Amino acid sequence: EDKVVQSPLSLVVHEGDTVTLNCSYEVTNFRSLLWYKQEKKAPTFLFMLTSSGIEKKSGRLSSILDKKELSSILNITATQTGDSAIYLCAVNAQGGSEKLVFGKGTKLTVNP
Amino acid sequence: SAVISQKPSRDICQRGTSLTIQCQVDSQVTMMFWYRQQPGQSLTLIATANQGSEATYESGFVIDKFPISRPNLTFSTLTVSNMSPEDSSIYLCSVVSYEAQETQYFGPGTRLLVL
């Protein structure tokens, strides 16, 4: 059974801190790994990763995939209170069907 | 990316009733999906909405409980039938567009509370 595990499940930091969120997976027919930010209801897309070692970057957020270790990290530097959210990792694992398997998410709280 | 809307955004329903949730996209998309997110849990795929044919359901979800329609490339509905309090969840539609294959974008979600 395909599985995606995120750690930590929750994290509380102060503004300005740097955080690293982890995602590991055990899936067949890996195609891509996606990160989403969920603040209220709708997950908003952050990154899609398909190749190992190539960092994707958007402002203070960056992410990288390690296919050998079957894992990915999401880094957020100089955190702000607006970064408080649940960060979801998902893997496209069914080769052609586009179905996503989600982890449980990491709840990040950034305190002023 | 495609602009996705869902109606209703939230609802409170009595047990035993049914609710139909609509998902509308502003452009044609290749694939549409329906997910459920129960309180404190992550997203679970209910089914893939197939245009012009029956939806493809994931293990644990059946058509009688969650009938789905997709009459064209921009619109889909999910009905939650004969509701019980366990159906209280956020229901989300997602789409894959022709321009961004492999990336799923999510609608704003429908928060459902069943009393």
Side-chain angles (χ1 to χ4, degrees):
Chain A
E1 184 182 336
D2 295 333
K3 189 165 64 171
V4 177
V5 177
Q6 291 185 245
S7 64
L9 291 181
S10 67
L11 189 56
V12 180
V13 300
H14 291 290
E15 268 191 318
D17 289 350
T18 293
V19 298
T20 298
L21 311 183
N22 301 286
C23 176
S24 63
Y25 58 90
E26 292 178 28
V27 300
T28 53
N29 299 319
F30 174 88
R31 292 187 70 199
S32 57
L33 185 146
L34 296 89
W35 285 97
Y36 291 87
K37 177 182 182 182
Q38 186 177 31
E39 292 178 87
K40 290 184 181 177
K41 291 185 295 185
T44 53
F45 173 75
L46 295 175
F47 300 112
M48 184 180 74
L49 305 162
T50 55
S51 301
S52 271
I54 299 175
E55 185 182 55
K56 293 272 182 99
K57 198 170 170 63
S58 176
R60 296 177 293 103
L61 277 67
S62 64
S63 184
I64 196 162
L65 176 67
D66 186 338
K67 281 180 159 179
K68 189 175 176 184
E69 296 296 325
L70 305 183
S71 66
S72 173
I73 59 171
L74 175 68
N75 282 318
I76 308 175
T77 59
T79 52
Q80 302 171 357
T81 55
D83 295 326
S84 296
I86 296 173
Y87 290 84
L88 297 167
C89 173
V91 174
N92 185 327
Q94 292 290 328
S97 71
E98 309 297 344
K99 291 195 291 189
L100 294 180
V101 178
F102 279 84
K104 291 185 183 295
T106 293
K107 182 177 181 181
L108 174 65
T109 302
V110 182
N111 291 323
Chain B
S1 62
V3 176
I4 308 165
S5 60
Q6 275 186 242
K7 287 195 294 189
S9 62
R10 58 174 57 224
D11 208 341
I12 301 174
C13 300
Q14 297 297 319
R15 68 174 67 207
T17 62
S18 297
L19 176 72
T20 295
I21 302 167
Q22 298 179 2
C23 178
Q24 178 75 56
V25 194
D26 69 342
S27 59
Q28 292 184 347
V29 294
T30 60
M31 304 190 78
M32 296 181 80
F33 301 91
W34 287 98
Y35 288 83
R36 178 175 76 179
Q37 187 176 30
Q38 294 177 301
Q41 302 297 314
S42 192
L43 280 72
T44 301
L45 180 64
I46 298 172
T48 304
N50 299 310
Q51 193 250 330
S53 64
E54 190 173 293
T56 304
Y57 289 85
E58 296 301 303
S59 175
F61 297 97
V62 295
I63 188 171
D64 290 345
K65 176 67 176 177
F66 297 103
I68 287 170
S69 78
R70 189 181 172 194
N72 55 51
L73 293 177
T74 63
F75 183 77
S76 178
T77 66
L78 167 75
T79 299
V80 186
S81 303
N82 188 24
M83 288 184 284
S84 67
E86 291 71 36
D87 294 319
S88 298
S89 293
I90 296 173
Y91 291 87
L92 294 146
C93 72
S94 73
V95 305
V96 175
S97 68
Y98 288 98
E99 294 77 25
Q101 301 279 347
E102 295 191 44
T103 301
Q104 283 188 33
Y105 294 94
F106 285 83
T110 296
R111 188 183 298 274
L112 171 62
L113 177 63
V114 184
L115 301 177

